[in-house]
Amino acid sequence: MYEPIRTKSVHSTMAGSSDFPHRSREEELDIQLAGHLSALLAVTDELRAQAPSADLDAAADRLVAQVCRLRGGKPLRATPGAAPGDPAALHRRAHALAGRALVVAASRADTAVAILAAERMDAHTAALAADPAELTATG
């Protein structure tokens, strides 16, 4: 009446399989940290396109170096969009991304990235504080 099962159970094949790729916690944190730094680099590039500065250029170079170290290759750089974004919103987003990078860097004990992320958080906080109207927009 019923056809017998001809294949092994998915659960039994996965439990005994050693060819399933596994990453260590450190590898997962490296991937996560590189992702946060890449996103921060994209926002930094947008800010650089709106208002070029030596500080943002140096920050972008340092971010590229850290992403290269974590990923083993140069990050893909996006060209900023045609429509300029709100600088205050970009600074808030960059601050949040730097904060996420700081948390991951602290959990993996990566001092260089933690220092870079903290410096970027300070820079974006200072940029928001430069214009009091932007601070009230952050709530």
Side-chain angles (χ1 to χ4, degrees):
M1 181 176 226
Y2 294 104
E3 185 175 339
I5 298 173
R6 296 183 182 162
T7 61
K8 291 184 179 182
S9 167
V10 173
H11 301 288
S12 65
T13 58
M14 290 305 288
S17 176
S18 63
D19 60 342
F20 185 77
H22 293 283
R23 290 188 205 122
S24 67
R25 180 176 186 274
E26 291 78 23
E27 290 171 326
E28 289 292 337
L29 288 174
D30 283 350
I31 292 167
Q32 187 177 18
L33 184 56
H36 290 317
L37 293 176
S38 294
L40 180 57
L41 177 60
V43 175
T44 302
D45 284 342
E46 283 190 53
L47 286 166
R48 287 175 57 215
Q50 287 183 5
S53 75
D55 178 52
L56 289 173
D57 292 342
D61 291 341
R62 291 176 64 197
L63 288 167
V64 167
Q66 291 301 324
V67 172
C68 287
R69 181 179 62 86
L70 291 167
R71 284 195 179 159
K74 289 186 113 181
L76 185 62
R77 305 281 296 263
T79 57
D86 176 27
L90 289 173
H91 282 294
R92 286 191 295 273
R93 182 166 182 218
H95 185 274
L97 288 166
R100 291 180 191 138
L102 178 60
V103 169
V104 177
S107 70
R108 66 180 296 277
D110 191 333
T111 307
V113 175
I115 291 170
L116 174 59
E119 289 173 358
R120 296 316 310 149
M121 287 179 72
D122 290 344
H124 294 295
T125 300
L128 286 169
D131 186 2
E134 292 175 0
L135 273 180
T136 58
T138 61

